[in-house]
């Protein structure tokens, strides 16, 4: 089940195997994916847990793994209460079913740093339920009372007799029992797996190449397809020429899918060629001529004063406090549209027959895929089979349904399974982009340097409005998040939002509105500290006085980043603090000038998310977010001319690379009893303002527009 590179005769997985063998010491075999295998060889104890005769425990995971490690962390939570040997644990994605819905969203959605914090209590309950059922079954075999038994390392152990029986031997009997309504849970003080950096069960398959990502899927009789979409956002097919022999064109409204007939040698790349060769004319949307980046940005700046604002938060009397301020800082910050640019391009495999529909997809929303396919095929959503596979990056893009719909429509049209893969150019040019933002901050200081007033206005397109989820005139929560409910103590404040009417499609990008608002907020805080003549760290400490948890995060990052230590000439440090998705984050960046840009030397981050299930995975998520944040802050920018994306590949969209990486240090702080926060997205927002703040301290020049160094491609580690 792997794609073959043309003229090479070597698959991605085969390449991994071969190069590993050449390196010495590792030989790998490529086998059939394990999807569904547990159900054949195991006994399902509950909807979450099945146990095989060899004592292997398979735990189903409701979230989708796109590199953030939920196949480990969520399984750890179940295994904690189940009391099993972690080396016997396997985990796999759960199929779409309301049983596996994330309570935060009421659906099986992987987003918003919500996996652990959404599922935590429910998974503890699921593990405890299975444990108590196994204990009851084991006690019957041992002929003792269930109260005499405990679960321990995959065994039911009689405390009085000292005898035991394995879970695997009683799993069938346990499955017939009525699940207990309120099984007892272990105290957090007694956790043996949660909080430990255990080995992730998904890593070996990712190393040896046997892991199944969407791009790897092959099914019997499968054909290859590729998309050609209208270059102008919002355009539709007007005419399409006749397809050549061996190719079928399917009109999907915004473009076509070119599907190859089943024939020897057909592959993804020949489908790309067929799509590129298609003769298509387009109906262009009204107003597309005005969809230019310079026009959209200028309109955003104008809306700062002319737009109709929706108040998101207010306290005190901002106008009065501003009028009495000894000093006022008035600054405007801009941020561009950003692409998701996931490493794995969009792809989906679908098989529609006269009796049903089956989908294999790297998706963040498998249940939503059922709804999408139902609308196209007419089959009931619950009857549509979705196989969630690993995502080579999601970042919000693979929540969307366009790439799912095109595969389903193509398969329905040709009457055969079709795998539709997007070329990178189509992926970049038809994204659901992180919105552009124009933010104005006006802050007033009294004679003692205290921040007494704060007026914050965000102008940006509405993600929820564009989708019809909120009406015009209603606050879009995605635009205001990270700007409201900030912890800084400011007696007089107002936060509002003006909807930008630009038609460029926008969506959920890692950390969403927080990535916009944190840059403006934390840059302005630094500018106010400078105006007050106060060290930026001390200024923030004053604003967080009385909030011990926030201060601890801020001070931990400052210590980790050596805030007060002497620096070599030409170096500077910047700091930023932000709260999002229930977590508290502070970042310190050290940089130096390098050519036309900067060289990032060190990044230190402190994060308090309440409790960390797997510290190694948690640190990796923060590190990855820092990399993502660096790329966006330094170079990330999508631009448009008459509705056509001017950026279509990575040569125009630089990313942080291994050779450019700074040293990254992460301190994960745990606060017992605190509500759980997220980790996957929370590391992004602070990176851009910390870099901008360091640059301003070093050069005396304040950069208020992202990206900071467009087109330079310069950054790096020490």
């Amino acid at each position: 089940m792997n794609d073959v590179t043309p003229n090479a005769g070597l698959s991605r997985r085969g390449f991994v195997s071969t190069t590993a063998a050449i390196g010495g010491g590792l030989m790998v075999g490529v086998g059939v994916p394990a999807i569904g295998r547990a159900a054949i060889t195991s006994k399902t104890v509950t909807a979450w847990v099945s146990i095989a005769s060899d004592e292997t425990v398979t735990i189903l995971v409701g979230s989708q793994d796109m590199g953030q490690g939920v196949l480990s962390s969520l399984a750890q939570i179940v295994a904690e209460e189940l009391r099993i040997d972690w080396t016997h644990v396997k985990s796999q994605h759960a199929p779409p079913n309301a049983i596996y819905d994330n309570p935060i969203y009421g659906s099986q959605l992987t987003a918003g740093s919500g996996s652990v914090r959404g599922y935590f209590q429910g998974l503890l309950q699921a593990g405890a339920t299975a444990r108590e059922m196994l204990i009851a079954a084991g006690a019957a075999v041992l002929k003792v009372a269930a109260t005499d038994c405990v679960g321990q390392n995959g065994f039911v152990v009689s405390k009085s007799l000292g005898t035991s029986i394995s879970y695997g031997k009683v799993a069938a009997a346990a499955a017939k029992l009525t699940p207990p309504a309120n099984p007892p849970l272990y105290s957090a003080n007694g956790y043996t797996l949660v909080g430990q950096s255990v080995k992730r069960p998904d890593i070996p398959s990712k190393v040896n190449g046997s892991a199944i990502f969407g791009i790897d899927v092959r099914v019997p009789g499968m054909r290859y397809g590729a998309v050609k979409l209208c270059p102008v956002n919002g355009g539709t097919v007007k005419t399409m020429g006749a397809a050549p022999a061996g190719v079928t064109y399917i009109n999907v409204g915004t473009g076509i899918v070119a599907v190859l007939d089943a024939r020897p040698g057909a592959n993804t790349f020949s489908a790309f060629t067929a799509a590129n060769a298609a003769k298509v004319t387009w109906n262009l949307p009204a107003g597309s001529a005005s969809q230019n980046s310079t026009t959209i940005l200028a309109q955003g700046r104008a809306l700062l004063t002319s737009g109709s604002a929706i108040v998101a938060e207010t306290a005190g009397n901002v106008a009065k406090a501003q009028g009495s301020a000894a000093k006022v800082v008035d600054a405007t910050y801009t941020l561009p549209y950003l692409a998701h640019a996931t490493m794995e391009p969009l792809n989906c495999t679908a098989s529609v027959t006269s009796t049903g529909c089956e989908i294999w997809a790297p998706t963040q929303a498998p249940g939503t895929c059922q709804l999408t396919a139902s609308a196209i095929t007419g089959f009931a959503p619950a009857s549509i089979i979705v196989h969630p596979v690993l995502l080579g990056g999601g970042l919000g893009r693979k929540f969307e349904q366009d790439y799912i719909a095109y595969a389903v429509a193509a398969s329905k049209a040709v009457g055969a399974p079709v795998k539709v893969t997007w070329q990178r150019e189509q992926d970049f040019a038809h994204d659901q982009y992180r919105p552009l933002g124009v933010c104005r901050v006006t802050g007033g200081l009294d004679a003692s340097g205290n921040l007494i007033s704060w007026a914050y206005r965000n102008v940006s397109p509405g993600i929820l409005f564009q989708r019809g989820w909120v009406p015009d005139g209603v606050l879009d929560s995605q635009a205001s998040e990270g700007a409201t409910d900030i912890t800084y103590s400011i007696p007089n404040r107002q936060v509002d939002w003006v909807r930008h009417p630009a038609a460029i499609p926008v969506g959920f990008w890692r950390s969403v509105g927080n990535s916009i608002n944190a840059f403006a907020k934390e840059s302005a805080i630094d500018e106010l500290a400078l105006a007050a003549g106060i060290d930026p760290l001390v200024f923030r400490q004053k604003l967080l006085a009385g909030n011990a948890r926030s201060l601890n995060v801020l001070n931990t990052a400052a210590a980790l980043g050596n805030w007060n230590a002497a620096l070599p000439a030409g170096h500077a440090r910047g700091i930023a603090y932000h709260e999002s998705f229930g977590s508290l984050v502070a970042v310190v960046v050290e940089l130096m000038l390098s050519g036309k840009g900067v060289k990032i030397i060190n990044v230190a981050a402190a994060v308090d998310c309440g409790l960390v299930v797997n510290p190694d995975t948690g640190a990796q998520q923060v590190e990855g977010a820092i990399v993502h944040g660096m790329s966006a802050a330094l170079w990330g920018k999508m631009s448009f001319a008459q509705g056509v994306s001017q950026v279509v590949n990575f040569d125009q969209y630089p990313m942080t690379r291994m050779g450019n990486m700074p040293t990254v240090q992460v301190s994960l702080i745990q606060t017992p009893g605190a509500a759980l926060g997220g980790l996957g997205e929370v590391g992004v927002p602070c990176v851009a303002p910390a870099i901008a703040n360091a640059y301003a301290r070093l050069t005396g020049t304040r950069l208020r527009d992202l990206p900071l160094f467009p087109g330079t491609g310069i950054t790096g580690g020490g």
Side-chain angles (χ1 to χ4, degrees), residues 3-12 218 264-270 273:
D3 284 331
V4 178
T5 304
N7 304 318
L10 186 64
S11 69
R12 175 180 67 85
R218 278 188 179 176
N267 55 42
T268 296
F269 299 93
S270 51
T273 300

Side-chain angles (χ1 to χ4, degrees), residues 28-260:
V28 297
V30 179
V32 177
I35 295 173
R37 191 175 290 163
I40 297 172
T41 61
S42 303
K43 185 62 185 178
T44 300
V45 179
T46 71
W48 298 93
V49 177
S50 61
I51 302 176
S53 56
D54 65 356
E55 306 299 336
T56 297
V57 179
T58 299
I59 297 173
L60 294 186
V61 170
S63 285
Q64 310 309 302
D65 197 301
M66 45 189 165
Q68 81 278 37
V70 292
L71 283 173
S72 175
S73 56
L74 296 188
Q76 275 179 257
I77 299 168
V78 178
E80 179 62 66
E81 287 291 342
L82 194 54
R83 296 287 149 149
I84 51 179
D85 183 343
W86 183 252
T87 61
H88 289 174
V89 171
K90 293 182 179 180
S91 61
Q92 66 184 47
H93 291 126
N97 192 300
I99 294 170
Y100 306 111
D101 283 354
N102 187 321
I104 291 178
Y105 308 111
S107 65
Q108 203 170 333
L109 173 64
T110 306
S113 288
S115 293
V116 169
R117 62 195 180 105
Y119 283 109
F120 188 78
Q121 281 302 128
L123 292 183
L124 288 177
Q125 187 92 0
T129 297
R131 182 196 69 227
E132 293 303 298
M133 293 167 70
L134 290 161
I135 286 175
V141 174
L142 297 175
K143 300 186 180 336
V144 296
T147 54
D148 179 55
C149 296
V150 295
Q152 188 174 23
N153 290 326
F155 287 82
V156 177
V157 180
S158 167
K159 292 180 287 186
S160 62
L161 300 179
T163 56
S164 63
I165 187 168
S166 72
Y167 284 174
K169 291 181 179 178
V170 299
K176 299 175 182 178
L177 301 177
T178 300
N182 295 295
L185 302 180
Y186 285 96
S187 165
N189 294 331
Y191 287 166
T192 59
L193 282 176
V194 169
Q196 302 301 311
S197 294
V198 300
K199 292 182 178 179
R200 286 171 51 177
D202 57 311
I203 293 299
S205 65
K206 290 177 178 177
V207 172
N208 67 29
S210 63
I212 301 299
F213 292 81
I215 207 77
D216 298 317
V217 170
R218 278 188 179 176
V219 298
M222 186 186 83
R223 301 185 188 181
Y224 293 90
V227 298
K228 181 173 188 175
L229 306 178
C230 181
V232 178
N233 280 298
T236 58
V237 173
K238 184 176 182 180
T239 65
M240 60 183 186
V247 179
T248 301
Y249 293 159
I250 296 99
N251 184 340
V252 291
T254 54
I256 69 156
V257 180
V259 179
L260 304 181

